């Protein structure tokens, strides 16, 4: 399909190496990006809930298709939403759609891209360029992206177009505009609202992909809207990839675990205190002996003698005062 209409991703993986000459944006630029993200997040939430003109159209290959005809200036564009179930947990699905390598497996139009700048944990700028059949010009995007990990186990990846001085427009590409876009992955079962435990590695998820974009250029609007029907079908391609490549799923599960470790780092002090407390309790039990051992000795008419204290393998709080450091 035409590149302006089959652009299925509006951001690139956070694993793509940052551009070597990335300049930092000013505080004012970042504030504007934050405001753009807030607007996109609200619009994406409305689309997720079917508000403001969104309507179900049909189902194709287990993907529910929803559309919204929106007048923008003197043209009316078709915004798209696809909904399906994926056989992976939300956090694994999020890793799949953010992975540069897997992106090419389910979006044949993707050409190249890079991460421009990460300005806050979970927020970054990206550049992406997409292929086009002759004589249509290639399209490219510069977006600001935000990843949200909700307490109920839902993961939202929100994006919208925002300029970045490390990615100026270059001929012959036409700079397309993403008004708002989102990946939303929700657990199919109730999640445990407890930090890391809210995001299990195994399971299934309800996946929603929302795109509201303008390819710009001189393509006729009727053609843009006609081909837009295919945009949400990338969900079916992702489902196929998951079924055909379990090794990729395993890799994504590993990446998900690593990401959770970064989001919810263990406090070293807490771990050490728990370990010390546990060890001292074990030593106390060892000195006192178990209830079963005492009962056996009583029944045998013998005096219970606890086992000898083992050679310590660690320095306890009580021992520190007499140990030279």
């Amino acid at each position: 399909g035409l590149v302006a209409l089959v652009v299925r991703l509006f951001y690139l993986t956070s694993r793509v190496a940052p551009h070597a000459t990335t300049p930092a944006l000013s505080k004012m630029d970042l504030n504007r990006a934050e405001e753009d993200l807030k607007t996109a997040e609200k619009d994406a939430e409305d689309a997720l809930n079917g508000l403001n003109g969104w309507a179900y159209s049909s189902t194709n290959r287990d993907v529910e298709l929803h559309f919204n005809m929106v007048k923008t200036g003197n043209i009316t564009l078709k915004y798209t939403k696809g909904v399906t179930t994926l056989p992976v947990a939300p956090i694994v699905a999020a890793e799949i759609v953010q992975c540069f390598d897997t992106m090419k497996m389910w979006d044949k139009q993707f050409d190249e891209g890079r991460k421009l700048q990460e300005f806050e944990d979970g927020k970054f700028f990206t550049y992406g360029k997409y292929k086009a059949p002759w004589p249509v010009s290639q399209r490219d995007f510069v977006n600001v992206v935000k990843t949200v990990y909700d307490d109920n186990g839902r993961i939202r990846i929100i994006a919208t177009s925002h300029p970045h001085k490390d990615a100026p427009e270059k001929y012959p590409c036409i700079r397309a505009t993403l008004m708002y876009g989102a990946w939303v992955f929700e657990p199919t079962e109730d999640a445990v609202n407890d930090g890391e435990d809210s995001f299990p590695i195994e399971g299934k998820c309800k996946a929603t992909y929302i795109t509201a974009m303008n390819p710009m250029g001189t393509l006729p609007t009727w053609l843009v809207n006609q081909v837009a029907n295919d945009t949400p079908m990338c969900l079916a391609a992702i489902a196929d990839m998951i079924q055909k490549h379990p090794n990729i799923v395993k890799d994504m599960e590993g990446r998900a675990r690593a990401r959770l470790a970064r989001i919810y780092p263990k406090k070293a002090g807490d771990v050490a205190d728990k370990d010390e407390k546990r060890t001292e309790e074990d030593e106390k039990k060892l000195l006192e002996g178990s209830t079963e051992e005492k009962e056996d000795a009583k029944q045998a008419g013998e005096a219970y003698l606890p086992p000898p204290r083992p050679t310590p393998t660690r320095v306890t709080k009580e021992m520190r005062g007499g140990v030279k450091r």
Side-chain angles (χ1 to χ4, degrees):
L2 298 177
V3 65
L5 311 168
V6 294
V7 175
R8 297 188 173 95
L9 276 183
F10 41 80
Y11 65 92
L12 304 175
T13 174
S14 58
R15 292 183 173 77
V16 181
H19 195 270
T21 59
T22 296
L25 293 186
S26 68
K27 181 64 175 177
M28 182 178 295
D29 288 333
L30 295 179
N31 287 339
R32 288 172 179 166
E34 291 273 13
E35 290 302 317
D36 288 347
L37 276 173
K38 288 180 181 178
T39 300
E41 185 173 4
K42 180 183 182 305
D43 290 338
E45 192 69 22
D46 286 346
L48 187 67
N49 295 321
L51 304 177
N52 300 326
W54 285 91
Y56 169 79
S57 174
S58 60
T59 299
N60 184 12
R61 294 179 58 194
D62 295 326
V63 177
E64 292 183 6
L65 304 177
H66 304 248
F67 301 112
N68 190 3
M69 303 302 296
V70 178
K71 186 173 180 60
T72 304
N74 59 352
I75 62 174
T76 300
L77 295 173
K78 178 180 284 189
Y79 295 172
T80 64
K81 178 175 71 172
V83 184
T84 194
T85 299
L86 295 177
V88 291
I91 195 166
V92 178
E95 291 298 323
I96 289 174
V97 301
Q98 292 182 95
C99 178
F100 180 83
D101 296 327
T102 61
M103 189 184 304
K104 286 193 171 184
M105 295 182 68
W106 51 267
D107 187 353
K108 305 302 182 184
Q109 302 301 321
F110 179 75
D111 188 12
E112 62 173 282
R114 65 182 184 270
K115 180 180 177 183
L116 298 171
Q117 178 184 351
E118 184 167 2
F119 63 97
E120 189 177 314
D121 188 27
K123 297 178 183 178
F124 47 92
F125 294 90
T126 60
Y127 170 81
K129 184 167 69 174
Y130 294 79
K131 303 173 185 176
W134 185 89
V136 178
S137 298
Q138 286 188 290
R139 260 60 177 179
D140 64 0
F141 289 81
V142 175
N143 300 319
V144 59
V145 186
K146 169 184 178 180
T147 304
V148 183
Y149 296 85
D150 294 323
D151 290 339
N152 61 0
R154 182 178 71 167
I155 299 176
R156 295 174 291 142
I157 306 172
I158 312 296
T160 185
S161 286
H162 190 89
H164 193 285
K165 52 189 176 182
D166 199 37
E169 295 185 37
K170 291 184 179 180
Y171 180 83
C173 273
I174 294 177
R175 181 63 49 87
T177 299
L178 180 72
M179 278 69 79
Y180 63 91
W183 289 101
V184 182
F185 302 108
E186 304 172 82
T188 55
E189 298 180 358
D190 292 339
V192 178
N193 296 333
D194 186 18
E196 182 177 355
D197 292 337
S198 299
F199 304 99
I201 299 298
E202 298 180 355
K204 297 180 180 180
C205 71
K206 176 184 177 182
T208 303
Y209 177 49
I210 301 164
T211 304
M213 57 88 72
N214 186 341
M216 309 303 288
T218 58
L219 292 173
T221 303
W222 67 266
L223 183 59
V224 171
N225 291 335
Q226 181 178 344
V227 184
N229 296 333
D230 295 333
T231 303
M233 292 308 298
C234 65
L235 287 168
I238 292 173
D240 289 343
M241 186 195 71
I242 291 172
Q243 295 290 349
K244 295 177 181 178
H245 300 279
N247 57 315
I248 291 178
V249 175
K250 288 294 182 182
D251 181 45
M252 296 301 109
E253 290 175 348
R255 298 186 186 193
R257 290 187 178 93
R259 188 176 297 276
L260 283 175
R262 293 193 296 272
I263 298 173
Y264 302 100
K266 302 294 184 183
K267 295 181 180 179
D270 292 346
V271 174
D273 289 344
K274 289 180 181 179
D275 178 67
E276 186 166 14
K277 181 179 180 181
R278 185 186 307 112
T279 304
E280 289 175 352
E281 288 176 350
D282 291 342
E283 290 176 351
K284 184 178 180 180
K285 289 180 180 179
L286 185 60
L287 285 174
E288 294 178 350
S290 68
T291 303
E292 290 79 4
E293 290 174 328
K294 292 179 180 179
E295 186 64 27
D296 291 342
K298 181 179 179 180
Q299 292 181 359
E302 300 174 355
Y304 173 73
L305 297 177
R309 184 182 181 90
T311 302
T313 57
R314 58 190 298 280
V315 179
T316 64
K317 289 180 180 178
E318 292 76 10
M319 297 169 62
R320 284 173 183 159
V323 176
K324 295 182 179 180
R325 301 180 184 276

